[in-house]
Amino acid sequence: MKIRNHHYRTIWRDAQSVCIIDQTKLPFAFEVERLHTHTQMCEAIRSMQVRGAPLIGAAAAYGMVLGCQHNADDQTLQSVASQLIATRPTAVNLAWAVQRMLQQLLSIAVAERAQAAWVFAQAIADEDVAQNQAIGQHGQELIAAVATANPEQVINILTHCNAGWLATVDGGTALAPIYAAHDAGLRVHVWVDETRPRNQGASLTAWELAQHAVPHTVITDNAGGHLMQHGQVDMVIVGADRVTKSGDVCNKIGTYLKALAAYDHQIPFYVAVPTPTIDWQLTDGTDIEIEMRDADEVAYMQGQDEDGQVRRVRVIPNESQALNPAFDVTPARLVTGIITERGVFPPEQLKSLETSL
Ligand SMILES: CSC[C@H]1O[C@H](OP(=O)(O)O)[C@H](O)[C@@H]1O
């Protein structure tokens, strides 16, 4: 994505280091952090400096690179892989990327691994960029179909959390069709769910849409149903952290509620994912491990005060407890279609994709 006229990916190699955009600093500061060890990459994933299913997959791949630069024997590779996989359990992309790196590295001589690892990780990053470009094209066709039916009308699309450029290496998943439609001249507007507790919508989706001058409005997580009830939403497009082969969708907490409201109002509900987000070993989404994050993410909020200082404030009584499940599961019956780099599939046809991968 272009930021201040400079094209960035969200993660890239710089000599023997890996650079990331520190997403915990957005939208009030744009800071690049240089990582030198796999331990630093584990912390960057765990603390959500980098987040988003496809991006944490690529980040974990680069973590494998950093972890084998000084010692690339089998035991070291296995230890680094285990540490990276343990950082976050829900997005299947992370374990998928680590296993792919491990398989490729274990199949070559120890002396070749340090250098080859950079090539293997770059391939995962480049594949993500290409997949998201294709998702954008397939998804844009869905938006164009709505525009054809209503040429004068602005097309209102609701999205939840951040499944944009910042959640991937480049291009985004749920936002890729929106960028493609906007760039093709279609009149799109995005309702951006703030997405408590970490506000990936308010802080990240709004920020990146603004960088690309896409019209958007930040709303509370609770407003989506009301807007749907009043005909203000033409479609919903979200990302996912893990999709089962039956089309059950695990995504940021609150997605399920949006799907229920969309279903009740016959509003198309699409999920945009690259195929590495599909878990072919799983059928029932309720079997997916849901990451339970620190309750302080609910108890505190971060923002900028009038003096431009970023502050963290408590928003619940000291005596109160909080619970912080980071994801929920939307059953396939509530999903209109899954937008992949191979095309758009109704959930019941997703399994036909497995044999062609
Ligand atoms: C295309 S990103 C998919 C997914 O990842 C985000 O989770 P997190 O911000 O906790 O890493 C969110 O669920 C996005 O929809």
Side-chain angles (χ1 to χ4, degrees), residues 30 41 58 73 83 92 100 122 163 178 223 238 257 268 318 321 331 352:
F30 181 87
M41 186 61 82
D73 64 32
Q83 292 169 57
V92 68
R100 175 164 144 172
Q122 181 76 38
I178 293 168
V238 298
L257 295 176
N318 291 322
Q321 293 185 52
S352 66

Side-chain angles (χ1 to χ4, degrees), residues 290-341:
I290 301 297
E291 180 184 9
M292 294 303 282
R293 290 190 64 88
D294 189 327
D296 275 0
E297 292 181 353
V298 177
Y300 292 84
M301 283 188 79
Q302 178 172 294
Q304 189 177 55
D305 67 16
E306 288 82 5
D307 302 326
Q309 290 302 309
V310 176
R311 299 191 185 286
R312 179 171 176 265
V313 294
R314 188 172 177 89
V315 292
I316 69 172
N318 291 322
E319 302 79 6
S320 300
Q321 293 185 52
L323 183 72
N324 187 14
F327 301 98
D328 60 23
V329 175
T330 298
R333 65 181 174 81
L334 299 178
V335 178
T336 306
I338 296 170
I339 309 168
T340 75
E341 71 276 14

Side-chain angles (χ1 to χ4, degrees), residues 38 64 67-68 71-86 98-99 101-103 105-106 113:
H38 75 279
M64 289 293 288
C68 73
N71 182 345
D73 64 32
D74 292 14
Q75 190 180 355
T76 301
L77 288 180
Q78 295 286 4
S79 168
V80 170
S82 301
Q83 292 169 57
L84 286 161
I85 288 173
V98 170
Q99 292 303 337
M101 290 291 291
L102 197 54
Q103 193 178 17
L105 290 169
L106 290 175
R113 291 174 179 174

